[in-house]
Amino acid sequence: MLRLQGEMIRGGTSKCWIFDHHDVVATGVDADILLLAAYNAADPRQIDGVGGASSTTSKAAIVRTSTAPGIDVEYAFAQVGIGDERVEWASNCGNCATAVALYAVHNGLVPITSDSTTVRMLNVNTRARLTGTIPTPGRTAFDEGTAAVPGTAALGVPVLLGFEDPAGSTTGRALPTGRAVDTLTGPAGRIEASLVDAGAPAALFEAKAFGLRGTESLAEFAAALPALTMLRRQAALAMGLAKEHDPVSHAVPKVGVVARPAAYRTTDGTPVGPDEYDLAVRMVSMHAPHPAIGLTSAVALATAAAIPGTLAHRVARQTAGTLRLGTPAGVITARAVPAAEGASPTVLLHRAARRIARAELLVPVLEGRPA
């Protein structure tokens, strides 16, 4: 039995266990094996571990201070399997980055020198650079706050999350194939897709291609999952993210559908009018409909909607620098801010985070494998 210190933080609409890199190394156990055991990943209910048995609650970040210029904190993001003894390290998570920023402020990884503190972060999975700005009035870091985000009624410390120069962060180009629209082969034949890399690689389809409106409930959208799962693989090959015989990744590219704004009701029954947002979106998270939207997906959509010819640009209401996304949880706003010459616009999103627990995890690892 191993002992591992960790801190659980809710970032936005996800829960993320944060671990110090030095503590993980000190166990002498491979990080994959350690996380699989700690989360009880083999069990779909994760009943004997700290996982929450959903894609938004089976996450981890391993954090350390950075010596790189302009970076305060480096973190590796892990999406831990659910009923699947596998850890995905291929992507980033904006909600967990929100949690990392709060962790860094509370654990002295950055100095608090004013009434707000900005944490400069590097996601080592994708080399993406992010910032998390947190109020620290009187040079004090708070555990809780009054900020809210769509997708949860819980309140938290406000965090302004920025994705710096996000275009091409994985493949080197905002449009990895060089085209605004590609044609993939799905279970029903050929289908148009926009393959975008910003924040995270994403494959976007028009909802109507699946007989959808883009405003479906989670249960209704689930009907498209088999087709989208197959198309995710096709998109990964087209974007150069995988080769024909590589294992299938369920983390990247992100995949989802877009549509013109229309009236709908959120998961909690709140009505949303077509004038209240600019683009309808439903995304997949691992094997299930995302209850809101991953922030890296939001960045990809904000970038795609600004590129003429993409499917997102085709159906989005065009605005100046701000894109309101109609998600199952409600409307989430992404704001693009011009950056230095040669860099793509920084994308800003308002999030909230709360520290939930600090704990010593008792991890059943035997002979270099989960017990």
Side-chain angles (χ1 to χ4, degrees):
M1 186 76 70
L2 296 175
R3 297 176 182 268
L4 177 65
Q5 298 295 321
E7 187 163 320
M8 178 191 279
I9 299 179
R10 176 181 62 83
T13 52
S14 293
K15 286 196 297 186
C16 192
W17 278 95
I18 313 289
F19 303 106
D20 184 281
H21 170 80
H22 299 293
D23 290 342
V24 172
V25 171
T27 66
V29 175
D30 178 79
D32 287 57
I33 293 171
L34 192 67
L35 292 175
L36 291 173
Y39 281 63
N40 188 210
D43 182 355
R45 298 178 300 162
Q46 296 182 328
I47 199 70
D48 195 43
V50 298
S54 73
S55 65
T56 57
T57 58
S58 191
K59 299 180 175 185
I62 300 174
V63 178
R64 65 178 172 183
T65 55
S66 177
T67 58
I71 300 294
D72 299 311
V73 172
E74 299 177 1
Y75 71 96
F77 167 68
Q79 182 77 57
V80 182
I82 304 166
D84 179 12
E85 291 193 273
R86 181 169 52 170
V87 181
E88 295 266 10
W89 298 97
S91 63
N92 187 17
C93 172
N95 279 321
C96 277
T98 303
V100 168
L102 188 62
Y103 176 89
V105 169
H106 275 281
N107 287 276
L109 303 187
V110 292
I112 300 175
T113 59
S114 67
D115 286 346
S116 69
T117 300
T118 296
V119 184
R120 300 168 300 175
M121 298 175 283
L122 174 70
N123 171 245
V124 299
N125 309 61
T126 63
R127 312 307 297 177
R129 293 183 175 230
L130 304 92
T131 58
T133 301
I134 298 172
T136 49
R139 301 185 182 182
T140 300
F142 292 98
D143 290 319
E144 55 188 359
T146 58
V149 294
T152 174
L155 303 178
V157 176
V159 181
L160 180 62
L161 190 67
F163 289 77
E164 297 185 345
D165 193 16
S169 56
T170 299
T171 65
R173 295 198 291 178
L175 299 176
T177 66
R179 295 178 292 273
V181 174
D182 285 271
T183 301
L184 304 180
T185 302
R190 294 167 70 81
I191 185 171
E192 285 188 323
S194 286
L195 308 179
V196 182
D197 177 14
L204 306 174
F205 305 88
E206 277 204 73
K208 67 181 182 182
F210 302 90
L212 302 174
R213 305 177 305 281
T215 55
E216 280 75 15
S217 68
L218 297 177
E220 292 169 333
F221 178 51
L225 288 180
L228 288 170
T229 298
M230 178 178 176
L231 287 162
R232 185 206 300 271
R233 178 63 172 175
Q234 294 295 313
L237 295 172
M239 298 171 83
L241 300 172
K243 297 179 181 178
E244 191 66 44
H245 300 294
D246 287 347
V248 175
S249 168
H250 297 291
V252 290
K254 309 298 182 185
V255 62
V257 302
V258 295
R260 299 183 187 280
Y264 75 100
R265 288 185 178 273
T266 65
T267 304
D268 67 5
T270 303
V272 179
D275 295 333
E276 295 180 59
Y277 68 105
D278 307 309
L279 179 65
V281 56
R282 297 293 183 267
M283 298 296 296
V284 177
S285 179
M286 299 297 281
H287 302 285
H290 198 294
I293 185 172
L295 299 192
T296 53
S297 296
V299 173
L301 281 157
T303 301
I307 300 175
T310 67
L311 300 181
H313 186 274
R314 183 186 298 177
V315 297
R317 179 184 293 114
Q318 293 303 307
T319 60
T322 299
L323 183 69
R324 300 170 299 171
L325 300 168
T327 80
V331 177
I332 293 174
T333 300
R335 180 162 61 93
V337 177
E341 186 176 352
S344 58
T346 294
V347 178
L348 299 174
L349 301 112
H350 288 276
R351 308 310 291 160
R354 188 179 80 82
R355 301 169 82 201
I356 296 173
R358 299 182 69 184
E360 182 178 70
L361 277 56
L362 305 180
V363 185
V365 175
L366 298 175
E367 299 177 359
R369 60 182 176 80

